[in-house]
Amino acid sequence: EPMVPAHRSLMSLDPLKADQYDDIRYYAPQNYALTQAPIGNIRPMVEWEPMTALFMAVPTYLTGDNYDNARNTIVQIAANSATVAEVWLLIEDSAGETNMTNLMLNAGVSQEVIDTKVKFLNKPFDSVWTIDFGPIPIIDMDTDTYALADFRYYRERALDDGVPTILGRSLMEIDQPSNTDTYRMPVNSEGDTFMATSDGYCFTGSGQLYWMSFDQGAPDDTIMSTLTMEELQTHPLAEEVRAVWNQYMGCKDTIITHSITDDGTLHLDMYFKVVSDDTVVVGEYVAPFEGEAEVNKARMDETAAFLASYQKEDGTGFNVKRLIIPGHRSSNAGPTPFTYANSTIINGLNLWPAYTFPDWEESRALAESQWQDAMPDHEHIWIDSEELAFWSGAIHCITRTIPAKTPGPWVGDGECSEEDTCTAPENGYTGACSPNGLTDQVCYGPEWLCTCNDCESGCTYEPGQSP
């Protein structure tokens, strides 16, 4: 099978009135219907806190003979993560499970570690880009438990879009003490463009606002061209993001950074990393410049300066570290930007992407020293990520870490009444027991705001209209 890129396709941006992806969502509304926001004293997960597991979706075709470099990246992530945490692998079929087991054994992971620390979950999905479609764990600070928040993902990757709820309802299948709830947000986004601190300061890029403007039918090109950092903070779409993320993830403020202009995803993690409550890493372009590098140097410098002067409500701010951007490599689609920033932090390890190109040895060594300066208490392990980079991603893009907290649930399961509606605990789902012809009852999870993933549509879609 061909690899699908991390970035959006035109189909995502110009949806048809009805297609097979709408059918998938219609027949499984329990995985897509928008829900009310969580009730409680919540905060977003941060990447450096203690983790139970690293979660990856691994398509079977990536465990076979094609995509050797991408396969090795996946195996090295799993092998390193298994030294400090569990590894949860979302797998399509038994062939993928067998292949991954053999690949990990060949990489030096013992059978005992695989038996005790690697958990396979067989559920449907579309792609490898786990952090984009996967959940964002959120923490209830009063109970020290976690639930999951969920963005709306690309419409043509409907199976991916359903994974957060499916994972939350499947935790006991992988030996967790309970399942947990998933809160589905009324905003289109990807997990790669969200980061946070434990005191509730969240970050995204101007690309998030740009895609939102595109989704609304009137692309606002000024977002990616002329707006200053100060102007980005007060853009109406920034205010919309800020309000939703405050409700669903406990963000006190959401800071909009400049996205780089020549990356197809426009994702935050291609140039940025939050490494502690008071330290952030911002990409840095150095001469000689090629393509749009000089433009992006100015964007990153302005971002760094803005963050260095930002004041939290308690009067503290951010220490800004810089990380070299290595440059571009040529592909059939033109020059592709690569990054050293797209790393995954897990229990004292920083797994960061790098490349074996001889002309980048110097920048790779510099990046390693910069990572060590930014995170002196972590072990920094670079993993060759060349093939994923040509598909607009790297290590952070294909992983999601799960905090070392007890999973909820925050809302207890309900029961189906004689009237075929769910009776539920406070804030629980009270709709039809089996909506849209489902054979199973869905009396669980938080109350729905409507029966589909876009309440403004009126949820009037009728299935079977796909061409």
Side-chain angles (χ1 to χ4, degrees):
E1 294 186 44
M3 177 93 82
V4 294
H7 58 73
R8 293 186 175 198
S9 72
L10 293 178
M11 188 175 289
S12 291
L13 298 170
D14 187 22
L16 303 173
K17 289 185 178 180
D19 60 25
Q20 66 269 34
Y21 312 115
D22 292 314
D23 283 359
I24 290 171
R25 289 178 169 88
Y26 177 86
Y27 286 116
Q30 74 278 13
N31 296 335
Y32 306 101
L34 300 182
T35 71
Q36 70 174 25
I39 307 296
N41 183 22
I42 63 170
R43 69 165 176 86
M45 180 203 85
V46 298
E47 298 196 21
W48 60 88
E49 67 182 285
M51 297 294 170
T52 291
L54 178 134
F55 175 55
M56 279 195 294
V58 185
T60 298
Y61 69 84
L62 281 179
T63 67
D65 295 332
N66 297 323
Y67 304 106
D68 291 351
N69 186 273
R71 181 182 68 233
N72 181 67
T73 305
I74 291 168
V75 172
Q76 291 303 313
I77 293 169
N80 280 286
S81 297
T83 67
V84 295
E86 292 185 353
V87 176
W88 299 351
L89 298 177
L90 187 62
I91 298 288
E92 291 176 294
D93 50 37
S94 59
E97 181 173 339
T98 298
N99 290 348
M100 275 300 296
T101 299
N102 290 333
L103 288 164
M104 292 185 73
L105 288 169
N106 292 338
V109 181
S110 70
Q111 186 65 57
E112 180 184 6
V113 168
I114 293 174
D115 291 341
T116 58
K117 300 182 74 173
V118 179
K119 312 293 184 181
F120 293 99
L121 188 62
N122 182 243
K123 303 291 179 181
F125 64 98
D126 296 302
S127 75
V128 72
W129 308 111
T130 309
I131 204 166
D132 281 337
F133 63 77
I136 297 174
I138 49 178
I139 315 297
D140 186 320
M141 291 184 281
D142 294 333
T143 63
D144 207 31
T145 59
Y146 78 85
L148 304 175
D150 179 25
F151 295 130
R152 284 186 298 217
Y153 190 48
Y154 304 158
R155 70 186 314 275
E156 80 275 19
R157 297 183 193 170
L159 295 178
D160 281 351
D161 197 16
V163 165
T165 299
I166 292 171
L167 176 64
R169 293 293 298 177
S170 303
L171 292 177
M172 294 180 70
E173 296 180 31
I174 49 176
D175 304 320
Q176 297 305 292
S178 66
N179 294 328
T180 196
D181 300 307
T182 301
Y183 293 86
R184 295 178 292 272
M185 293 179 275
V187 66
N188 296 350
S189 190
E190 299 93 53
D192 259 334
T193 198
F194 173 86
M195 293 182 199
T197 64
S198 68
D199 51 350
Y201 289 86
C202 300
F203 300 84
T204 191
S206 55
Q208 168 67 26
L209 309 187
Y210 178 69
W211 289 131
M212 289 173 68
S213 74
F214 215 125
D215 289 335
Q216 294 178 357
D220 182 353
D221 293 329
T222 67
I223 293 171
M224 292 296 297
S225 58
T226 61
L227 295 187
T228 66
M229 282 290 293
E230 288 76 11
E231 290 168 336
L232 285 173
Q233 310 314 308
T234 58
H235 192 283
L237 293 176
E239 298 293 359
E240 180 180 339
V241 169
R242 195 169 285 121
V244 172
W245 291 2
N246 171 264
Q247 280 189 297
Y248 284 79
M249 295 188 289
C251 297
K252 293 177 183 175
D253 188 18
T254 295
I255 301 167
I256 316 298
T257 68
H258 279 307
S259 298
I260 59 176
T261 61
D262 55 357
D263 165 57
T265 67
L266 302 182
H267 286 164
L268 180 70
D269 64 356
M270 299 301 281
Y271 58 88
F272 184 85
K273 193 75 170 180
V274 185
V275 299
S276 74
D277 282 341
D278 59 8
T279 304
V280 297
V281 175
V282 178
E284 184 171 29
Y285 290 81
V286 297
F289 301 117
E290 59 178 13
E292 297 181 47
E294 192 164 9
V295 170
N296 285 318
K297 171 181 169 51
R299 295 172 71 84
M300 293 299 96
D301 290 351
E302 186 185 352
T303 295
F306 180 88
L307 294 174
S309 64
Y310 182 89
Q311 258 197 0
K312 300 181 183 180
E313 62 182 18
D314 65 0
T316 63
F318 297 110
N319 180 22
V320 179
K321 302 286 188 176
R322 303 304 296 269
L323 179 68
I324 188 170
I325 300 287
H328 297 73
R329 307 305 294 193
S330 296
S331 71
N332 291 336
T336 301
F338 279 47
T339 181
Y340 295 132
N342 196 270
S343 80
T344 291
I345 303 167
I346 182 163
N347 292 348
L349 302 182
N350 178 40
L351 308 178
W352 61 283
Y355 319 95
T356 60
F357 308 122
D359 54 323
W360 283 4
E361 288 182 3
E362 185 176 339
S363 73
R364 187 179 70 214
L366 175 58
E368 184 160 21
S369 69
Q370 290 173 326
W371 273 124
Q372 290 169 344
D373 176 62
M375 305 175 70
D377 296 330
H378 282 67
E379 180 182 359
H380 301 276
I381 301 171
W382 72 267
I383 297 173
D384 186 7
S385 306
E386 175 183 340
E387 198 159 34
L388 289 173
F390 278 117
W391 290 94
S392 298
I395 294 172
H396 194 246
C397 298
I398 64 170
T399 59
R400 166 56 78 195
T401 48
I402 306 295
K405 307 287 186 184
T406 303
W410 292 356
V411 178
D413 286 1
E415 295 182 354
C416 188
S417 70
E418 293 182 0
E419 291 75 29
D420 199 40
T421 58
C422 296
T423 58
E426 186 178 6
N427 303 313
Y429 171 66
T430 57
C433 297
S434 301
N436 298 356
L438 279 170
T439 56
D440 297 327
Q441 294 177 0
V442 294
C443 295
Y444 55 78
E447 183 68 281
W448 299 2
L449 297 180
C450 61
T451 60
C452 64
N453 70 343
D454 181 6
C455 295
E456 293 181 3
S457 72
C459 301
T460 58
Y461 176 76
E462 295 182 8
Q465 300 179 18
S466 56

